[in-house]
Amino acid sequence: MLILTAFCLAAVAVFSVLWRREWLRARRDRAEVEARRLKDSEFLRRTLRRAELLHRLADGLEDGLFILGADMRVLFVNLGAQRFFPPVNEPVGRKLVECVRNTRIVELAEKALAEGHRQSGEIPVTSLSDGGPAEDRIYEVVALPLQSDRSEA
């Protein structure tokens, strides 16, 4: 009987040690998951802050800037580029050909994407001013293919 009691106590002790070890491992795993979640949320906050800063910087440029995806859809437009898109109010998400009046811009973008290097040309644009006469201007348009877009194509 004494041996059975000793054996039971030993089994309980071993079970307790194993249970405690497993409990500590589970606790450590939960802590690691929480640390990763916090790190990911901090990374997301920093990324959003940077994106907002870049958006404000691009909108502050007098030059027009728009970014196209590999499928020729408009991903981003700064305020300076709005003159190329009338009468389209919101070009983001639409194909470039649907948004611009001058097809030469589309041709430059398509050629830059296809050939993988810079394309440029002079594009005449008629701007309508508030209450005033239409104004013709010639803009130099530069199309630069971004490597990240080409890899997704």
Side-chain angles (χ1 to χ4, degrees), residues 13-27:
V14 168
F15 178 74
S16 295
V17 168
L18 292 176
W19 181 82
R20 175 79 174 156
R21 184 180 296 165
E22 196 57 37
W23 181 81
L24 288 172
R25 184 177 301 141
R27 184 175 169 193

Side-chain angles (χ1 to χ4, degrees), residues 19 23-24 27 38 45 47 51 53 82 92 95 104-105 108 120 125 134-135 149-150:
W19 181 82
W23 181 81
L24 288 172
R27 184 175 169 193
L38 290 174
R45 275 194 294 277
T47 302
L53 178 65
Q82 291 295 330
V92 174
K95 292 234 180 226
R104 181 76 176 116
I105 295 173
L108 286 173
S120 64
V125 175
E135 185 178 320
D149 266 350
R150 289 180 50 80

Side-chain angles (χ1 to χ4, degrees), residues 51-108:
E52 178 62 27
L53 178 65
L54 287 173
H55 193 281
R56 284 187 284 159
L57 176 69
D59 274 343
L61 297 174
E62 287 184 29
D63 291 336
L65 169 70
F66 49 94
I67 299 173
L68 305 175
D71 62 353
M72 298 297 287
R73 288 190 184 280
V74 178
L75 301 175
F76 174 82
V77 177
N78 76 341
L79 295 175
Q82 291 295 330
R83 65 181 160 265
F84 292 106
F85 293 108
V88 177
N89 290 333
E90 186 55 51
V92 174
R94 300 173 87 175
K95 292 234 180 226
L96 182 63
V97 72
E98 298 171 15
C99 302
V100 295
R101 291 178 288 183
N102 190 316
T103 58
R104 181 76 176 116
I105 295 173
V106 178
E107 292 168 4
L108 286 173

Side-chain angles (χ1 to χ4, degrees), residues 88-153:
V88 177
N89 290 333
E90 186 55 51
V92 174
R94 300 173 87 175
K95 292 234 180 226
L96 182 63
V97 72
E98 298 171 15
C99 302
V100 295
R101 291 178 288 183
N102 190 316
T103 58
R104 181 76 176 116
I105 295 173
V106 178
E107 292 168 4
L108 286 173
E110 287 173 340
K111 189 172 181 182
L113 184 64
E115 295 181 7
H117 57 82
R118 179 183 197 268
Q119 300 292 322
S120 64
E122 292 184 347
I123 308 292
V125 175
T126 301
S127 301
L128 299 174
S129 58
D130 295 332
E135 185 178 320
D136 291 331
R137 288 190 173 178
I138 296 178
Y139 292 96
E140 181 179 5
V141 175
V142 178
L144 299 169
L146 301 176
Q147 294 303 319
S148 62
D149 266 350
R150 289 180 50 80
S151 66
E152 294 173 10

